[in-house]
Amino acid sequence: MNAPADLPTLQPKDFKSDQEVRWCPGCGDYSILAQVQKIMPEIGVRRENIVFVSGIGCSSRFPYYMNTYGFHSIHGRAPAIATGVKIGNPELDVWVVTGDGDGLSIGGNHLIHTIRRNVGLKILLFDNRIYGLTKGQYSPTSELGKKTKSTPFGSIDHPIHPISVAIGAEVTFVARTVDVDVKHMQGVLKRAAEHKGTAFVQIYQDCNVYNHKAFEFATDRSVKDEHVLYLEHGKPMIFGKNRDKGIRLNGTTPEVVELGKGVSPDDLLHHDEKCAEPTLAYLLSRMRHPDFPEPMGVFRCVESPSYEDLLMGQIRAATAKLGPGDMDALFNDGDTWNVD
Amino acid sequence: MSTATAGGQKRNGKSVRELDSAAVRFVGDSGDGMQLAGTQFTNTSAVFGNDVSTLPDFPAEIRAPAGTIAGVSGFQINFSNHDIHTPGDKVDALIAMNPASLKANVGDLEDGGILVVNVDEFTKQNLAKAKYTNNPLEDGSLKNFRVFEVPITRQTVDAVKQAGVGAKDAERCKNFYALGLIFWLYDRPLDVTLRWINDKFSKKPEIAAANTLAIQAGFNFGETAEMFPVRYRVNRAKLDPGKYRNITGNQATALGLITAARLAGKTLVYGTYPITPASDILHELSMRKNFDVRTYQAEDEIAAFAAVVGAAYSGALAVTASSGPGIALKQEGVGLAVMTELPCLIVNVQRGGPSTGLPTKTEQADLWQAILGRNGECPLPVIAAQSPADCFWTVIEATRWAFKYMTPVFVLTDGFLANGSEPWRIPAYASIEKITVRHASDAATFQPYLRDKNGARPWAVPGTPGLEHRVGGLEKADVTGNVSYDADNHHKMVGLRAQKVANIVHEIPPQPIDGPDSGDVLLVSWGGTYGAVRTAGQRARAKGRKVSHVHLRHMNPFPANLGEIVHRFKHVLVCELNMGQLLLLLRGRYAVEAVGLNKVQGRPFMIREITAKIDEVLGAK
């Protein structure tokens, strides 16, 4: 993104509103808020052109804490409202904050259609695999068998996998990060900010009240290197504390292999986020703990015209062909007659 | 009901009788092109200079089983040499293309009326499909009518032979043959339709040729066959001077929205989801990209309105249209627009309900839905169009309110207005008053919920430096707009939002009364029933009855003088195509002992139904 030449130099604190943050102490949302505020001065957009739109849920209080334009809307509809903001004024930099319940359950339909249209929105999905604001029911990303307030005998719903769904809807940018890995998150958020079209980011976020340590495998320093695969474009997929394991393709199925003993990095899958075909990204989205290390970073980043570019392109083309609309000509279109 | 004027003349050996008005209905199978024939007859009559009023009537199925009653499609047009308000109660001429359409419509034909039937289609099989046990052309059941049996299918196929189209395409021209015949019967010129055929089929010259041959053959048949002793003529109406075009309610709505956006200097964002009978607004608007009209066909009704809220927030003229079931889905979003006090329009093209109901039929049963149908104390202004062309002015008025008072505004039209048409006196764009829009810009004084003298909060759009602020569905503190759970603040904010809507009464002129200021019966109506109720009131007065009529356009708030008016009459008769929705509102608001005339048949009122009810209320015989 080309920053305007006279962009004022702002600090993260300039993006903090005067409102008291009211998430539970220890909630992963605090870190996400801090990282978003951290990168805001660096994305090359004037503060007055930034809009945060959210739905309903703990994460959706987010806009109140940002000193930008903000809209805390209704349950599940944030992507649809944000689409309207973008249609009304494509110049705005529009971010959507949603959660696993808001974005994938009640708002699942809007999420899919926003992604397939490639509307230029940055969608941050705070995924804590639980309903927090309504006090602890299972969510669409809760694992099968999970015992919660509304599933005392264990959930019988199979979970939805947000990145797989996004790829199914032909997402042009999709990434994953985790709340406590602040540097990684900042990197991912900056990449999302640069993307034209829909940028969808799943953020693993700890709900320390209703689903504490749901992502311990990816956050506990003593084990996370064994359970997380950091994606790097063009690089072989190597992981492990000693960087001694990798992902190899066996037929059409990925497998974990140890390096050495006849396996070299060249034998491993190499990440290609720019691949036009989303097959590799989809395969990565299927790699789940504990059978696989879970990929972190950018799964897919491809160029495709955004919805608002196509929309404004049609308007420009029609105006070039027909001239700017003349109201009197419009009124008098078709058969007319005079009464004296 | 045709009314003859004195005099007549002879032309081509056939006498021409002059009429003041005539109502004609084309009926056939839904594949027979009756809507097209009716529309063409309407346009020709309008361009000729008659006043016109139309009633299209078609099934919800795209192609119901051919030849059955379920598949019957019809188009009625009333054309006259004076100002008329309705498509007519009964018809003077019925053109029936098959037995099923005859069966479904013959009850609406005046005694002594003209009945043209396509005799080719009165086969044993088609009679059975229409569930006729006897052929009505032979059993004497049509003896009260002037029946003309014309072999329309056969003559059409013969006539279009030289155009070289296939058998199927040839037969499809029969609506134009029928149209040509009726053009002859009512002494109408062919040129408007011939021009339309050439434009429409410019890329299919053989189809254009076939349809041209068919319409000419129908016209010539009337001229040469010894069948029709008389033809009729309805002279030009004395409408107000000006330039006119024919317009449907949905077209007028679309034009009104484009106009409102231009008057306000705004981009029009139209977020919608296809639904009968509102979709034509989308079709009309989606062609107008060079007016910077941004149409958005969303994934569902909910998203369509959510996008409207977002677009309103971004500073556009944001509008949705739908019909009852779609409106039901949008209402949570409408509540959000009320809470965030963002200007937008919700157009409800009402249809028969509840649920999916009667998608292609008209009804007025969504008044409560508009006024009351949201959670919480959630008032908003409601305005209703009274005729097809009036939809244009209604959406412009709604836009003025939305911007001035920072509120969503409900606009009610209905299937009858949406698909019906009438002549529209074309205004000069420059003659229409501009719409004022004010945006906040001063960071030093800006407060998101600091109200102006009208009760409106400022509209601060993203992109304005220094006005970064947050809105949302949670209750907000007065003035600052910060989230507030304070008990007294909530009570106050509910009151402020209600007062703001109530203030719109200052925009509304005193309610006009058609007829004396007091009397025996006050007819009250709203929306698309205007024409029938107005005519019934005028006829009652012509008979010496003390009947006046009030037609409401402003449903919330009501005009300031309405309460006083309803108490000046002995009887208040509220005529609605629902079971008494306005009636309850009037009783509740003004404690008036009103009674209702209510009809939910998917059809507009007939004048005589209202006349009969007036007589009943007055105890007259």
PDB file of all heavy atoms in Angstrom, chain A residues 322 324-334 336, chain B residues 243 245 255 262 288 290-291 424 426-429:
ATOM      1  N   LEU A 322     -21.789   5.884 -21.535  1.00  0.00           N
ATOM      2  CA  LEU A 322     -23.081   6.571 -21.625  1.00  0.00           C
ATOM      3  C   LEU A 322     -23.020   8.024 -21.175  1.00  0.00           C
ATOM      4  O   LEU A 322     -23.995   8.761 -21.327  1.00  0.00           O
ATOM      5  CB  LEU A 322     -24.119   5.835 -20.769  1.00  0.00           C
ATOM      6  CG  LEU A 322     -24.308   4.353 -21.085  1.00  0.00           C
ATOM      7  CD1 LEU A 322     -25.104   3.652 -19.998  1.00  0.00           C
ATOM      8  CD2 LEU A 322     -25.018   4.196 -22.430  1.00  0.00           C
ATOM      9  N   PRO A 324     -22.045  10.772 -17.847  1.00  0.00           N
ATOM     10  CA  PRO A 324     -22.623  10.825 -16.502  1.00  0.00           C
ATOM     11  C   PRO A 324     -24.133  11.000 -16.595  1.00  0.00           C
ATOM     12  O   PRO A 324     -24.620  11.731 -17.469  1.00  0.00           O
ATOM     13  CB  PRO A 324     -21.943  12.046 -15.868  1.00  0.00           C
ATOM     14  CG  PRO A 324     -21.281  12.791 -16.962  1.00  0.00           C
ATOM     15  CD  PRO A 324     -21.138  11.876 -18.139  1.00  0.00           C
ATOM     16  N   GLY A 325     -24.844  10.297 -15.751  1.00  0.00           N
ATOM     17  CA  GLY A 325     -26.301  10.238 -15.856  1.00  0.00           C
ATOM     18  C   GLY A 325     -26.970  11.603 -15.921  1.00  0.00           C
ATOM     19  O   GLY A 325     -26.709  12.476 -15.097  1.00  0.00           O
ATOM     20  N   ASP A 326     -27.849  11.770 -16.897  1.00  0.00           N
ATOM     21  CA  ASP A 326     -28.609  13.010 -17.066  1.00  0.00           C
ATOM     22  C   ASP A 326     -30.022  12.745 -16.559  1.00  0.00           C
ATOM     23  O   ASP A 326     -30.744  11.911 -17.109  1.00  0.00           O
ATOM     24  CB  ASP A 326     -28.605  13.392 -18.551  1.00  0.00           C
ATOM     25  CG  ASP A 326     -29.457  14.630 -18.837  1.00  0.00           C
ATOM     26  OD1 ASP A 326     -30.549  14.752 -18.245  1.00  0.00           O
ATOM     27  OD2 ASP A 326     -29.022  15.468 -19.646  1.00  0.00           O
ATOM     28  N   MET A 327     -30.441  13.457 -15.525  1.00  0.00           N
ATOM     29  CA  MET A 327     -31.721  13.157 -14.887  1.00  0.00           C
ATOM     30  C   MET A 327     -32.900  13.373 -15.835  1.00  0.00           C
ATOM     31  O   MET A 327     -33.809  12.551 -15.898  1.00  0.00           O
ATOM     32  CB  MET A 327     -31.909  14.021 -13.633  1.00  0.00           C
ATOM     33  CG  MET A 327     -30.926  13.740 -12.506  1.00  0.00           C
ATOM     34  SD  MET A 327     -30.863  12.016 -11.956  1.00  0.00           S
ATOM     35  CE  MET A 327     -32.552  11.729 -11.514  1.00  0.00           C
ATOM     36  N   ASP A 328     -32.890  14.462 -16.571  1.00  0.00           N
ATOM     37  CA  ASP A 328     -34.035  14.725 -17.443  1.00  0.00           C
ATOM     38  C   ASP A 328     -34.131  13.694 -18.562  1.00  0.00           C
ATOM     39  O   ASP A 328     -35.224  13.270 -18.933  1.00  0.00           O
ATOM     40  CB  ASP A 328     -33.964  16.149 -18.002  1.00  0.00           C
ATOM     41  CG  ASP A 328     -34.286  17.182 -16.920  1.00  0.00           C
ATOM     42  OD1 ASP A 328     -35.347  17.040 -16.295  1.00  0.00           O
ATOM     43  OD2 ASP A 328     -33.464  18.077 -16.696  1.00  0.00           O
ATOM     44  N   ALA A 329     -32.964  13.253 -19.061  1.00  0.00           N
ATOM     45  CA  ALA A 329     -32.991  12.200 -20.087  1.00  0.00           C
ATOM     46  C   ALA A 329     -33.559  10.915 -19.493  1.00  0.00           C
ATOM     47  O   ALA A 329     -34.322  10.193 -20.141  1.00  0.00           O
ATOM     48  CB  ALA A 329     -31.575  11.959 -20.618  1.00  0.00           C
ATOM     49  N   LEU A 330     -33.212  10.641 -18.241  1.00  0.00           N
ATOM     50  CA  LEU A 330     -33.723   9.441 -17.561  1.00  0.00           C
ATOM     51  C   LEU A 330     -35.250   9.520 -17.408  1.00  0.00           C
ATOM     52  O   LEU A 330     -35.963   8.555 -17.689  1.00  0.00           O
ATOM     53  CB  LEU A 330     -33.060   9.310 -16.193  1.00  0.00           C
ATOM     54  CG  LEU A 330     -33.473   8.117 -15.344  1.00  0.00           C
ATOM     55  CD1 LEU A 330     -33.012   6.810 -15.973  1.00  0.00           C
ATOM     56  CD2 LEU A 330     -32.899   8.247 -13.928  1.00  0.00           C
ATOM     57  N   PHE A 331     -35.712  10.684 -16.988  1.00  0.00           N
ATOM     58  CA  PHE A 331     -37.165  10.848 -16.808  1.00  0.00           C
ATOM     59  C   PHE A 331     -37.914  10.639 -18.127  1.00  0.00           C
ATOM     60  O   PHE A 331     -39.022  10.125 -18.140  1.00  0.00           O
ATOM     61  CB  PHE A 331     -37.497  12.261 -16.301  1.00  0.00           C
ATOM     62  CG  PHE A 331     -37.050  12.551 -14.899  1.00  0.00           C
ATOM     63  CD1 PHE A 331     -37.165  13.839 -14.377  1.00  0.00           C
ATOM     64  CD2 PHE A 331     -36.531  11.561 -14.078  1.00  0.00           C
ATOM     65  CE1 PHE A 331     -36.766  14.133 -13.080  1.00  0.00           C
ATOM     66  CE2 PHE A 331     -36.127  11.841 -12.777  1.00  0.00           C
ATOM     67  CZ  PHE A 331     -36.237  13.133 -12.279  1.00  0.00           C
ATOM     68  N   ASN A 332     -37.301  11.102 -19.224  1.00  0.00           N
ATOM     69  CA  ASN A 332     -37.997  11.099 -20.514  1.00  0.00           C
ATOM     70  C   ASN A 332     -37.703   9.863 -21.356  1.00  0.00           C
ATOM     71  O   ASN A 332     -38.008   9.830 -22.546  1.00  0.00           O
ATOM     72  CB  ASN A 332     -37.633  12.370 -21.295  1.00  0.00           C
ATOM     73  CG  ASN A 332     -38.290  13.594 -20.693  1.00  0.00           C
ATOM     74  OD1 ASN A 332     -39.437  13.887 -20.993  1.00  0.00           O
ATOM     75  ND2 ASN A 332     -37.584  14.293 -19.810  1.00  0.00           N
ATOM     76  N   ASP A 333     -37.129   8.864 -20.730  1.00  0.00           N
ATOM     77  CA  ASP A 333     -36.769   7.625 -21.412  1.00  0.00           C
ATOM     78  C   ASP A 333     -38.039   6.918 -21.913  1.00  0.00           C
ATOM     79  O   ASP A 333     -39.028   6.853 -21.210  1.00  0.00           O
ATOM     80  CB  ASP A 333     -36.036   6.734 -20.381  1.00  0.00           C
ATOM     81  CG  ASP A 333     -35.240   5.650 -21.059  1.00  0.00           C
ATOM     82  OD1 ASP A 333     -34.990   5.780 -22.263  1.00  0.00           O
ATOM     83  OD2 ASP A 333     -34.874   4.674 -20.382  1.00  0.00           O
ATOM     84  N   GLY A 334     -37.992   6.401 -23.118  1.00  0.00           N
ATOM     85  CA  GLY A 334     -39.127   5.618 -23.624  1.00  0.00           C
ATOM     86  C   GLY A 334     -40.179   6.473 -24.296  1.00  0.00           C
ATOM     87  O   GLY A 334     -39.933   7.610 -24.685  1.00  0.00           O
ATOM     88  N   THR A 336     -43.161   8.896 -24.793  1.00  0.00           N
ATOM     89  CA  THR A 336     -43.756  10.018 -24.053  1.00  0.00           C
ATOM     90  C   THR A 336     -44.795  10.690 -24.939  1.00  0.00           C
ATOM     91  O   THR A 336     -44.821  10.464 -26.147  1.00  0.00           O
ATOM     92  CB  THR A 336     -42.697  11.074 -23.672  1.00  0.00           C
ATOM     93  OG1 THR A 336     -42.122  11.574 -24.874  1.00  0.00           O
ATOM     94  CG2 THR A 336     -41.608  10.488 -22.786  1.00  0.00           C
TER      95      THR A 336
ATOM     96  N   LYS B 243     -45.771  16.946 -20.225  1.00  0.00           N
ATOM     97  CA  LYS B 243     -45.275  15.780 -20.944  1.00  0.00           C
ATOM     98  C   LYS B 243     -45.464  14.562 -20.051  1.00  0.00           C
ATOM     99  O   LYS B 243     -45.172  14.630 -18.850  1.00  0.00           O
ATOM    100  CB  LYS B 243     -43.804  15.995 -21.275  1.00  0.00           C
ATOM    101  CG  LYS B 243     -43.278  15.044 -22.316  1.00  0.00           C
ATOM    102  CD  LYS B 243     -41.874  15.483 -22.688  1.00  0.00           C
ATOM    103  CE  LYS B 243     -41.268  14.594 -23.752  1.00  0.00           C
ATOM    104  NZ  LYS B 243     -39.846  14.895 -23.914  1.00  0.00           N
ATOM    105  N   ARG B 245     -45.382  10.095 -19.459  1.00  0.00           N
ATOM    106  CA  ARG B 245     -45.009   8.743 -19.869  1.00  0.00           C
ATOM    107  C   ARG B 245     -45.781   7.784 -18.970  1.00  0.00           C
ATOM    108  O   ARG B 245     -46.255   8.170 -17.897  1.00  0.00           O
ATOM    109  CB  ARG B 245     -43.503   8.511 -19.724  1.00  0.00           C
ATOM    110  CG  ARG B 245     -43.031   8.561 -18.291  1.00  0.00           C
ATOM    111  CD  ARG B 245     -41.544   8.307 -18.154  1.00  0.00           C
ATOM    112  NE  ARG B 245     -41.253   6.876 -18.104  1.00  0.00           N
ATOM    113  CZ  ARG B 245     -40.059   6.401 -17.740  1.00  0.00           C
ATOM    114  NH1 ARG B 245     -39.076   7.225 -17.434  1.00  0.00           N
ATOM    115  NH2 ARG B 245     -39.852   5.117 -17.690  1.00  0.00           N
ATOM    116  N   LEU B 255     -36.755   5.286 -10.093  1.00  0.00           N
ATOM    117  CA  LEU B 255     -36.433   6.643 -10.559  1.00  0.00           C
ATOM    118  C   LEU B 255     -36.384   7.629  -9.398  1.00  0.00           C
ATOM    119  O   LEU B 255     -35.525   8.512  -9.349  1.00  0.00           O
ATOM    120  CB  LEU B 255     -37.474   7.122 -11.572  1.00  0.00           C
ATOM    121  CG  LEU B 255     -37.371   6.611 -12.996  1.00  0.00           C
ATOM    122  CD1 LEU B 255     -38.291   7.411 -13.901  1.00  0.00           C
ATOM    123  CD2 LEU B 255     -35.949   6.703 -13.510  1.00  0.00           C
ATOM    124  N   ARG B 262     -29.426  12.120  -6.273  1.00  0.00           N
ATOM    125  CA  ARG B 262     -28.855  13.257  -6.985  1.00  0.00           C
ATOM    126  C   ARG B 262     -29.209  14.573  -6.283  1.00  0.00           C
ATOM    127  O   ARG B 262     -28.360  15.469  -6.154  1.00  0.00           O
ATOM    128  CB  ARG B 262     -29.365  13.240  -8.437  1.00  0.00           C
ATOM    129  CG  ARG B 262     -28.828  14.342  -9.328  1.00  0.00           C
ATOM    130  CD  ARG B 262     -27.334  14.221  -9.611  1.00  0.00           C
ATOM    131  NE  ARG B 262     -26.980  13.076 -10.414  1.00  0.00           N
ATOM    132  CZ  ARG B 262     -26.908  13.056 -11.747  1.00  0.00           C
ATOM    133  NH1 ARG B 262     -27.173  14.145 -12.440  1.00  0.00           N
ATOM    134  NH2 ARG B 262     -26.565  11.957 -12.390  1.00  0.00           N
ATOM    135  N   ARG B 288     -28.457   1.398 -14.151  1.00  0.00           N
ATOM    136  CA  ARG B 288     -28.147   2.835 -14.075  1.00  0.00           C
ATOM    137  C   ARG B 288     -26.798   3.115 -13.442  1.00  0.00           C
ATOM    138  O   ARG B 288     -26.656   4.016 -12.615  1.00  0.00           O
ATOM    139  CB  ARG B 288     -29.255   3.566 -13.311  1.00  0.00           C
ATOM    140  CG  ARG B 288     -30.658   3.307 -13.825  1.00  0.00           C
ATOM    141  CD  ARG B 288     -30.823   3.749 -15.273  1.00  0.00           C
ATOM    142  NE  ARG B 288     -32.200   3.484 -15.734  1.00  0.00           N
ATOM    143  CZ  ARG B 288     -32.586   3.630 -16.991  1.00  0.00           C
ATOM    144  NH1 ARG B 288     -31.727   4.034 -17.915  1.00  0.00           N
ATOM    145  NH2 ARG B 288     -33.823   3.358 -17.332  1.00  0.00           N
ATOM    146  N   ASN B 290     -24.239   4.451 -14.680  1.00  0.00           N
ATOM    147  CA  ASN B 290     -23.656   5.760 -15.009  1.00  0.00           C
ATOM    148  C   ASN B 290     -24.244   6.887 -14.156  1.00  0.00           C
ATOM    149  O   ASN B 290     -23.818   8.029 -14.267  1.00  0.00           O
ATOM    150  CB  ASN B 290     -23.790   6.079 -16.508  1.00  0.00           C
ATOM    151  CG  ASN B 290     -25.224   6.150 -16.962  1.00  0.00           C
ATOM    152  OD1 ASN B 290     -26.063   5.361 -16.520  1.00  0.00           O
ATOM    153  ND2 ASN B 290     -25.530   7.091 -17.837  1.00  0.00           N
ATOM    154  N   PHE B 291     -25.213   6.542 -13.307  1.00  0.00           N
ATOM    155  CA  PHE B 291     -25.691   7.503 -12.306  1.00  0.00           C
ATOM    156  C   PHE B 291     -25.013   7.231 -10.956  1.00  0.00           C
ATOM    157  O   PHE B 291     -25.481   7.674  -9.925  1.00  0.00           O
ATOM    158  CB  PHE B 291     -27.210   7.408 -12.163  1.00  0.00           C
ATOM    159  CG  PHE B 291     -27.975   7.949 -13.339  1.00  0.00           C
ATOM    160  CD1 PHE B 291     -28.120   7.201 -14.500  1.00  0.00           C
ATOM    161  CD2 PHE B 291     -28.522   9.223 -13.300  1.00  0.00           C
ATOM    162  CE1 PHE B 291     -28.819   7.714 -15.592  1.00  0.00           C
ATOM    163  CE2 PHE B 291     -29.220   9.736 -14.385  1.00  0.00           C
ATOM    164  CZ  PHE B 291     -29.362   8.982 -15.539  1.00  0.00           C
ATOM    165  N   TRP B 424     -47.555   9.329 -15.961  1.00  0.00           N
ATOM    166  CA  TRP B 424     -46.794  10.140 -15.000  1.00  0.00           C
ATOM    167  C   TRP B 424     -46.419  11.443 -15.690  1.00  0.00           C
ATOM    168  O   TRP B 424     -45.802  11.429 -16.762  1.00  0.00           O
ATOM    169  CB  TRP B 424     -45.538   9.372 -14.583  1.00  0.00           C
ATOM    170  CG  TRP B 424     -44.603  10.122 -13.692  1.00  0.00           C
ATOM    171  CD1 TRP B 424     -44.919  10.811 -12.556  1.00  0.00           C
ATOM    172  CD2 TRP B 424     -43.183  10.244 -13.846  1.00  0.00           C
ATOM    173  NE1 TRP B 424     -43.789  11.341 -11.988  1.00  0.00           N
ATOM    174  CE2 TRP B 424     -42.707  11.016 -12.750  1.00  0.00           C
ATOM    175  CE3 TRP B 424     -42.255   9.768 -14.780  1.00  0.00           C
ATOM    176  CZ2 TRP B 424     -41.358  11.315 -12.578  1.00  0.00           C
ATOM    177  CZ3 TRP B 424     -40.911  10.058 -14.604  1.00  0.00           C
ATOM    178  CH2 TRP B 424     -40.482  10.831 -13.520  1.00  0.00           C
ATOM    179  N   ILE B 426     -44.156  14.106 -16.326  1.00  0.00           N
ATOM    180  CA  ILE B 426     -42.705  14.118 -16.118  1.00  0.00           C
ATOM    181  C   ILE B 426     -42.276  15.488 -15.590  1.00  0.00           C
ATOM    182  O   ILE B 426     -42.532  16.507 -16.234  1.00  0.00           O
ATOM    183  CB  ILE B 426     -41.960  13.809 -17.439  1.00  0.00           C
ATOM    184  CG1 ILE B 426     -42.415  12.438 -17.979  1.00  0.00           C
ATOM    185  CG2 ILE B 426     -40.466  13.837 -17.236  1.00  0.00           C
ATOM    186  CD1 ILE B 426     -41.981  12.177 -19.414  1.00  0.00           C
ATOM    187  N   PRO B 427     -41.636  15.520 -14.447  1.00  0.00           N
ATOM    188  CA  PRO B 427     -41.190  16.811 -13.920  1.00  0.00           C
ATOM    189  C   PRO B 427     -39.865  17.218 -14.567  1.00  0.00           C
ATOM    190  O   PRO B 427     -39.150  16.385 -15.109  1.00  0.00           O
ATOM    191  CB  PRO B 427     -40.964  16.505 -12.434  1.00  0.00           C
ATOM    192  CG  PRO B 427     -40.575  15.060 -12.399  1.00  0.00           C
ATOM    193  CD  PRO B 427     -41.264  14.395 -13.575  1.00  0.00           C
ATOM    194  N   ALA B 428     -39.570  18.489 -14.514  1.00  0.00           N
ATOM    195  CA  ALA B 428     -38.225  18.932 -14.872  1.00  0.00           C
ATOM    196  C   ALA B 428     -37.362  18.709 -13.632  1.00  0.00           C
ATOM    197  O   ALA B 428     -37.764  19.106 -12.528  1.00  0.00           O
ATOM    198  CB  ALA B 428     -38.233  20.403 -15.250  1.00  0.00           C
ATOM    199  N   TYR B 429     -36.230  18.072 -13.809  1.00  0.00           N
ATOM    200  CA  TYR B 429     -35.397  17.768 -12.642  1.00  0.00           C
ATOM    201  C   TYR B 429     -35.104  19.028 -11.830  1.00  0.00           C
ATOM    202  O   TYR B 429     -35.183  19.033 -10.598  1.00  0.00           O
ATOM    203  CB  TYR B 429     -34.096  17.083 -13.078  1.00  0.00           C
ATOM    204  CG  TYR B 429     -33.122  16.946 -11.931  1.00  0.00           C
ATOM    205  CD1 TYR B 429     -33.370  16.029 -10.907  1.00  0.00           C
ATOM    206  CD2 TYR B 429     -31.991  17.760 -11.833  1.00  0.00           C
ATOM    207  CE1 TYR B 429     -32.522  15.923  -9.821  1.00  0.00           C
ATOM    208  CE2 TYR B 429     -31.135  17.661 -10.764  1.00  0.00           C
ATOM    209  CZ  TYR B 429     -31.397  16.746  -9.758  1.00  0.00           C
ATOM    210  OH  TYR B 429     -30.560  16.656  -8.681  1.00  0.00           O
TER     211      TYR B 429
END
